[in-house]
Amino acid sequence: MVSVEVSDAVVAVRARTRSAVPAGCTGCGKLSTWCHSRYSRRLSDVTLAGKPLLIDLSVRRLYCENTMCTKVTFAEQVTGLTVRYQRRTPRLQDLVEDVGVVLAARGGSRILRILNVRLSRVAVLSQLMRVPLPALVTPRVLRVDDFALYGDTYGTLLVDATTRLPLTLWEGRDAERLGRWLREHPGVEVACRVGSLAYRQGITTGAPDAVQVSDRFHLWQGLSRRVQDIASTHRGCLPAALPPISDASIASVEKPLENTTADTRAERHARRLFEAVQPLTRSGRSHSSVARELGLNRRTVSKYARAQAWQEVVRRLPRKASTLDPYLDYLQQRWDEGQHSAKVLHEELQIKGYLGHYQRVKMAVAPLRRGLPIDEPRERPPSPREAARWITTHPHRRNPHINDRLPRLLDHCPELRTANDLVRRFAAMLDHRDATSLPEWLDDLANTGLAPLTGLARALREDRAAVTQGITTAYNSQVNEGHITDVKLQKRIMAGRAGVSLLRHRVVLIAHLRRRFVDRPTMPPR
């Protein structure tokens, strides 16, 4: 028997189970029709026509006729409608769990409120944490990677290379935790990892028979960072990449000005720090101790210690090109003719087709009021990161801008030319998956006399077997990078307040939820 009542706020359904239909005992499963009593269950279901749907269901409490069963009575369950100890239908419960997995507590509560399902963020979070994680199957190929959890704290992410699904994650990147996990899940044959010593030791102790593979992406990333360090050390060479304008400009590139006075606030600040850092670092003290004494960041101390003059550390950002640049000659002409009103000049430029704002014209003529020339746009030299990206980019993928400036930079800086040659040789090994020339390349890397490359050569020699596997085999951790991006997204959604257990729960469940929707069969076209 079913009755439906519809009001402005809710749709109410009253139903009653049939008396003659047998029900299975929740303890032993034996069917029974011996009724003890009836009671009402109030269930919430997904909305109907935008209104909350409430079900008032009258169900039986039955005697269990199995004398060996521990239960004397049991409540009957309606398949697809009721679940023990739950006041939501399975459809609504699945909706709450999926929304909690995707949007977490606060966002999930807001979305459910739009769907006329009233649940607090605490309730959504509680339902999310009750969802069991999928059964973990030991992978044949395991991918191990680290990610920034918060601040200087890192976490470890394990991914199944076959299914491309995350297995688990935890805080820290210690060898003991990884080794214990591998011992608890024997059967890993190949472990693709970053070049971390902790991960190498953990895999060696936990799965000694597994083949270790150093990830190709992280090998290339490590080499790129060393090239950037070299470019930072030789920052004074970077302006040589710009096209030559005049002999005076070339001389200024090769030899920085030494008699420039500190006129601006930034210049005075740079000069004061330079004069404070240089005497302390030249006395043999470490950069960390100098940073503690002066109250500076260690990287700031290192930057001022590397500089030959304080002018090198002053940030001079050249003006970028603007829509006003084609009219600068006209502004200069009208200024010389005696027209000094920025408003009038802006109106005249609008007649000529200028669509920019008056404020830009006012700022352009401001130097003229002080007797200075108009500030024309000029190209800035590449940053160390840009120079490293030029070198590590494949020659066929470089645009004409890079092809014009990179040879000029390499001709001026022999250290960067050496780094460029080594990068191209390593890229050829990765492209052809041939590690035959790796020993010779490591020797040349160690003999460059450049500290970043020497340290890299020492690290790669210690992990040479895994590096060789990374060059010659197809195993890599590229899937991990996508999951790490997903981890960062989930952290931002939860505003960084989530614990590791909640983060693990959501990352694993979201990946399986996506897989479930991707594998869902689509309806055939009509």
Short mmCIF file of all heavy atoms in Angstrom, two decimals, residues 468-505:
data_model
loop_
_atom_site.label_atom_id
_atom_site.label_comp_id
_atom_site.label_asym_id
_atom_site.label_seq_id
_atom_site.Cartn_x
_atom_site.Cartn_y
_atom_site.Cartn_z
N THR A 468 70.70 3.88 -15.66
CA THR A 468 70.76 3.13 -16.92
C THR A 468 69.39 2.54 -17.27
O THR A 468 68.96 2.58 -18.43
CB THR A 468 71.81 2.01 -16.81
OG1 THR A 468 73.08 2.60 -16.47
CG2 THR A 468 71.94 1.26 -18.12
N GLN A 469 68.69 2.00 -16.27
CA GLN A 469 67.35 1.48 -16.51
C GLN A 469 66.39 2.58 -16.94
O GLN A 469 65.54 2.39 -17.81
CB GLN A 469 66.82 0.79 -15.25
CG GLN A 469 67.54 -0.49 -14.88
CD GLN A 469 67.25 -1.62 -15.86
OE1 GLN A 469 66.21 -1.64 -16.53
NE2 GLN A 469 68.18 -2.56 -15.96
N GLY A 470 66.55 3.76 -16.34
CA GLY A 470 65.68 4.87 -16.70
C GLY A 470 65.89 5.34 -18.13
O GLY A 470 64.95 5.79 -18.79
N ILE A 471 67.12 5.25 -18.62
CA ILE A 471 67.42 5.68 -19.98
C ILE A 471 66.96 4.63 -21.00
O ILE A 471 66.41 4.98 -22.06
CB ILE A 471 68.93 5.96 -20.13
CG1 ILE A 471 69.33 7.16 -19.26
CG2 ILE A 471 69.30 6.22 -21.58
CD1 ILE A 471 70.82 7.42 -19.24
N THR A 472 67.17 3.37 -20.70
CA THR A 472 66.98 2.31 -21.70
C THR A 472 65.59 1.69 -21.68
O THR A 472 65.19 1.07 -22.67
CB THR A 472 68.02 1.21 -21.49
OG1 THR A 472 67.91 0.70 -20.14
CG2 THR A 472 69.43 1.75 -21.68
N THR A 473 64.83 1.80 -20.59
CA THR A 473 63.52 1.16 -20.52
C THR A 473 62.41 2.19 -20.66
O THR A 473 62.65 3.40 -20.61
CB THR A 473 63.35 0.41 -19.18
OG1 THR A 473 63.41 1.36 -18.10
CG2 THR A 473 64.45 -0.61 -19.00
N ALA A 474 61.21 1.67 -20.84
CA ALA A 474 60.05 2.55 -21.04
C ALA A 474 59.37 2.92 -19.73
O ALA A 474 58.39 3.67 -19.75
CB ALA A 474 59.04 1.87 -21.96
N TYR A 475 59.86 2.41 -18.60
CA TYR A 475 59.22 2.71 -17.32
C TYR A 475 59.51 4.16 -16.93
O TYR A 475 60.65 4.62 -17.04
CB TYR A 475 59.71 1.77 -16.23
CG TYR A 475 59.40 0.32 -16.49
CD1 TYR A 475 60.42 -0.61 -16.71
CD2 TYR A 475 58.09 -0.13 -16.54
CE1 TYR A 475 60.14 -1.93 -16.96
CE2 TYR A 475 57.80 -1.45 -16.78
CZ TYR A 475 58.83 -2.35 -16.99
OH TYR A 475 58.54 -3.67 -17.24
N ASN A 476 58.48 4.86 -16.46
CA ASN A 476 58.64 6.23 -15.99
C ASN A 476 57.51 6.55 -15.04
O ASN A 476 56.57 5.76 -14.87
CB ASN A 476 58.66 7.23 -17.16
CG ASN A 476 57.41 7.15 -18.00
OD1 ASN A 476 56.36 7.65 -17.61
ND2 ASN A 476 57.51 6.49 -19.16
N SER A 477 57.59 7.71 -14.44
CA SER A 477 56.60 8.12 -13.42
C SER A 477 55.73 9.27 -13.90
O SER A 477 55.30 10.11 -13.10
CB SER A 477 57.33 8.52 -12.12
OG SER A 477 58.01 7.43 -11.56
N GLN A 478 55.47 9.33 -15.20
CA GLN A 478 54.68 10.45 -15.70
C GLN A 478 53.26 10.45 -15.15
O GLN A 478 52.66 11.51 -14.95
CB GLN A 478 54.66 10.42 -17.22
CG GLN A 478 53.99 9.18 -17.82
CD GLN A 478 53.98 9.21 -19.33
OE1 GLN A 478 54.50 10.13 -19.94
NE2 GLN A 478 53.38 8.21 -19.94
N VAL A 479 52.70 9.25 -14.88
CA VAL A 479 51.35 9.21 -14.30
C VAL A 479 51.35 9.82 -12.91
O VAL A 479 50.37 10.46 -12.50
CB VAL A 479 50.84 7.76 -14.29
CG1 VAL A 479 49.46 7.69 -13.66
CG2 VAL A 479 50.79 7.20 -15.70
N ASN A 480 52.45 9.64 -12.17
CA ASN A 480 52.52 10.20 -10.82
C ASN A 480 52.37 11.71 -10.84
O ASN A 480 51.77 12.30 -9.94
CB ASN A 480 53.85 9.83 -10.16
CG ASN A 480 53.92 8.37 -9.79
OD1 ASN A 480 53.45 7.52 -10.54
ND2 ASN A 480 54.49 8.05 -8.65
N GLU A 481 52.93 12.37 -11.86
CA GLU A 481 52.86 13.82 -11.90
C GLU A 481 51.41 14.29 -12.00
O GLU A 481 51.03 15.29 -11.40
CB GLU A 481 53.69 14.35 -13.08
CG GLU A 481 55.16 13.96 -13.03
CD GLU A 481 55.83 14.40 -11.75
OE1 GLU A 481 55.53 15.51 -11.26
OE2 GLU A 481 56.66 13.64 -11.22
N GLY A 482 50.60 13.57 -12.77
CA GLY A 482 49.19 13.92 -12.84
C GLY A 482 48.49 13.73 -11.51
O GLY A 482 47.66 14.56 -11.10
N HIS A 483 48.80 12.65 -10.81
CA HIS A 483 48.18 12.42 -9.51
C HIS A 483 48.68 13.43 -8.47
O HIS A 483 47.93 13.82 -7.57
CB HIS A 483 48.46 11.00 -9.04
CG HIS A 483 47.66 9.95 -9.77
ND1 HIS A 483 46.29 9.93 -9.76
CD2 HIS A 483 48.04 8.91 -10.55
CE1 HIS A 483 45.85 8.92 -10.49
NE2 HIS A 483 46.90 8.28 -10.99
N ILE A 484 49.95 13.85 -8.58
CA ILE A 484 50.46 14.87 -7.66
C ILE A 484 49.74 16.19 -7.89
O ILE A 484 49.42 16.92 -6.94
CB ILE A 484 51.98 15.01 -7.84
CG1 ILE A 484 52.68 13.77 -7.26
CG2 ILE A 484 52.50 16.27 -7.16
CD1 ILE A 484 54.17 13.73 -7.53
N THR A 485 49.47 16.52 -9.15
CA THR A 485 48.67 17.70 -9.43
C THR A 485 47.29 17.57 -8.80
O THR A 485 46.73 18.55 -8.27
CB THR A 485 48.54 17.90 -10.95
OG1 THR A 485 49.86 18.02 -11.51
CG2 THR A 485 47.74 19.14 -11.28
N ASP A 486 46.72 16.37 -8.84
CA ASP A 486 45.43 16.12 -8.23
C ASP A 486 45.51 16.28 -6.71
O ASP A 486 44.59 16.83 -6.07
CB ASP A 486 44.95 14.72 -8.59
CG ASP A 486 43.47 14.53 -8.33
OD1 ASP A 486 42.72 15.53 -8.41
OD2 ASP A 486 43.05 13.40 -8.04
N VAL A 487 46.60 15.81 -6.11
CA VAL A 487 46.78 15.97 -4.66
C VAL A 487 46.81 17.45 -4.29
O VAL A 487 46.15 17.88 -3.32
CB VAL A 487 48.09 15.27 -4.22
CG1 VAL A 487 48.42 15.64 -2.77
CG2 VAL A 487 47.96 13.77 -4.33
N LYS A 488 47.53 18.25 -5.07
CA LYS A 488 47.60 19.69 -4.78
C LYS A 488 46.23 20.34 -4.94
O LYS A 488 45.86 21.25 -4.17
CB LYS A 488 48.61 20.35 -5.71
CG LYS A 488 50.04 19.87 -5.49
CD LYS A 488 50.99 20.50 -6.49
CE LYS A 488 52.42 20.00 -6.26
NZ LYS A 488 53.35 20.55 -7.27
N LEU A 489 45.46 19.88 -5.93
CA LEU A 489 44.11 20.42 -6.11
C LEU A 489 43.24 20.11 -4.90
O LEU A 489 42.52 21.00 -4.40
CB LEU A 489 43.49 19.85 -7.38
CG LEU A 489 42.01 20.19 -7.63
CD1 LEU A 489 41.84 21.69 -7.79
CD2 LEU A 489 41.50 19.45 -8.85
N GLN A 490 43.28 18.88 -4.42
CA GLN A 490 42.46 18.51 -3.26
C GLN A 490 42.90 19.28 -2.02
O GLN A 490 42.07 19.67 -1.19
CB GLN A 490 42.54 17.00 -3.00
CG GLN A 490 42.23 16.12 -4.19
CD GLN A 490 41.00 16.56 -4.96
OE1 GLN A 490 40.02 17.01 -4.37
NE2 GLN A 490 41.07 16.45 -6.27
N LYS A 491 44.19 19.53 -1.88
CA LYS A 491 44.66 20.33 -0.74
C LYS A 491 44.08 21.74 -0.81
O LYS A 491 43.66 22.30 0.21
CB LYS A 491 46.19 20.40 -0.75
CG LYS A 491 46.88 19.13 -0.30
CD LYS A 491 48.36 19.19 -0.60
CE LYS A 491 49.00 20.47 -0.11
NZ LYS A 491 50.41 20.58 -0.52
N ARG A 492 44.06 22.34 -2.00
CA ARG A 492 43.53 23.70 -2.13
C ARG A 492 42.02 23.72 -1.89
O ARG A 492 41.50 24.69 -1.33
CB ARG A 492 43.86 24.25 -3.51
CG ARG A 492 45.36 24.46 -3.74
CD ARG A 492 45.62 25.17 -5.04
NE ARG A 492 47.05 25.34 -5.26
CZ ARG A 492 47.78 24.57 -6.05
NH1 ARG A 492 47.19 23.58 -6.71
NH2 ARG A 492 49.07 24.78 -6.20
N ILE A 493 41.33 22.69 -2.35
CA ILE A 493 39.89 22.64 -2.11
C ILE A 493 39.59 22.64 -0.62
O ILE A 493 38.64 23.28 -0.16
CB ILE A 493 39.28 21.39 -2.79
CG1 ILE A 493 39.27 21.57 -4.31
CG2 ILE A 493 37.86 21.13 -2.29
CD1 ILE A 493 38.75 20.38 -5.06
N MET A 494 40.42 21.94 0.14
CA MET A 494 40.22 21.87 1.59
C MET A 494 41.01 22.94 2.32
O MET A 494 41.16 22.89 3.54
CB MET A 494 40.61 20.48 2.10
CG MET A 494 39.73 19.38 1.54
SD MET A 494 40.14 17.73 2.12
CE MET A 494 41.65 17.40 1.22
N ALA A 495 41.54 23.92 1.57
CA ALA A 495 42.23 25.08 2.14
C ALA A 495 43.39 24.68 3.04
O ALA A 495 43.74 25.39 3.98
CB ALA A 495 41.24 25.97 2.92
N GLY A 496 44.01 23.54 2.78
CA GLY A 496 45.17 23.11 3.55
C GLY A 496 44.88 22.63 4.95
O GLY A 496 45.80 22.40 5.73
N ARG A 497 43.59 22.48 5.30
CA ARG A 497 43.24 22.08 6.68
C ARG A 497 43.09 20.58 6.83
O ARG A 497 42.82 20.10 7.93
CB ARG A 497 41.95 22.78 7.10
CG ARG A 497 42.06 24.28 7.23
CD ARG A 497 40.81 24.85 7.89
NE ARG A 497 39.66 24.68 7.06
CZ ARG A 497 39.20 25.59 6.21
NH1 ARG A 497 39.87 26.72 6.07
NH2 ARG A 497 38.12 25.37 5.49
N ALA A 498 43.20 19.83 5.76
CA ALA A 498 42.95 18.39 5.82
C ALA A 498 44.16 17.66 6.39
O ALA A 498 45.31 18.04 6.14
CB ALA A 498 42.63 17.85 4.44
N GLY A 499 43.89 16.63 7.14
CA GLY A 499 44.95 15.75 7.60
C GLY A 499 45.33 14.77 6.51
O GLY A 499 44.67 14.66 5.46
N VAL A 500 46.40 14.02 6.75
CA VAL A 500 46.89 13.09 5.74
C VAL A 500 45.88 11.98 5.50
O VAL A 500 45.69 11.53 4.36
CB VAL A 500 48.25 12.51 6.18
CG1 VAL A 500 48.75 11.49 5.18
CG2 VAL A 500 49.27 13.64 6.32
N SER A 501 45.19 11.52 6.53
CA SER A 501 44.21 10.44 6.35
C SER A 501 43.07 10.86 5.44
O SER A 501 42.65 10.10 4.55
CB SER A 501 43.68 9.99 7.71
OG SER A 501 43.05 11.07 8.38
N LEU A 502 42.55 12.08 5.63
CA LEU A 502 41.48 12.57 4.76
C LEU A 502 41.99 12.79 3.33
O LEU A 502 41.31 12.45 2.36
CB LEU A 502 40.91 13.87 5.32
CG LEU A 502 39.84 14.57 4.46
CD1 LEU A 502 38.66 13.65 4.21
CD2 LEU A 502 39.39 15.86 5.13
N LEU A 503 43.19 13.33 3.21
CA LEU A 503 43.76 13.55 1.88
C LEU A 503 43.96 12.22 1.16
O LEU A 503 43.65 12.09 -0.04
CB LEU A 503 45.10 14.29 2.01
CG LEU A 503 45.77 14.71 0.70
CD1 LEU A 503 44.89 15.69 -0.05
CD2 LEU A 503 47.13 15.32 0.99
N ARG A 504 44.46 11.21 1.86
CA ARG A 504 44.63 9.88 1.26
C ARG A 504 43.28 9.32 0.81
O ARG A 504 43.15 8.79 -0.29
CB ARG A 504 45.29 8.94 2.27
CG ARG A 504 45.50 7.52 1.74
CD ARG A 504 45.87 6.56 2.84
NE ARG A 504 46.99 7.04 3.63
CZ ARG A 504 46.90 7.37 4.91
NH1 ARG A 504 45.75 7.27 5.55
NH2 ARG A 504 47.96 7.80 5.56
N HIS A 505 42.29 9.47 1.66
CA HIS A 505 40.97 8.93 1.36
C HIS A 505 40.42 9.54 0.07
O HIS A 505 39.93 8.84 -0.81
CB HIS A 505 40.03 9.23 2.54
CG HIS A 505 39.18 8.08 2.94
ND1 HIS A 505 39.67 6.98 3.61
CD2 HIS A 505 37.85 7.84 2.76
CE1 HIS A 505 38.69 6.13 3.84
NE2 HIS A 505 37.57 6.62 3.33
#
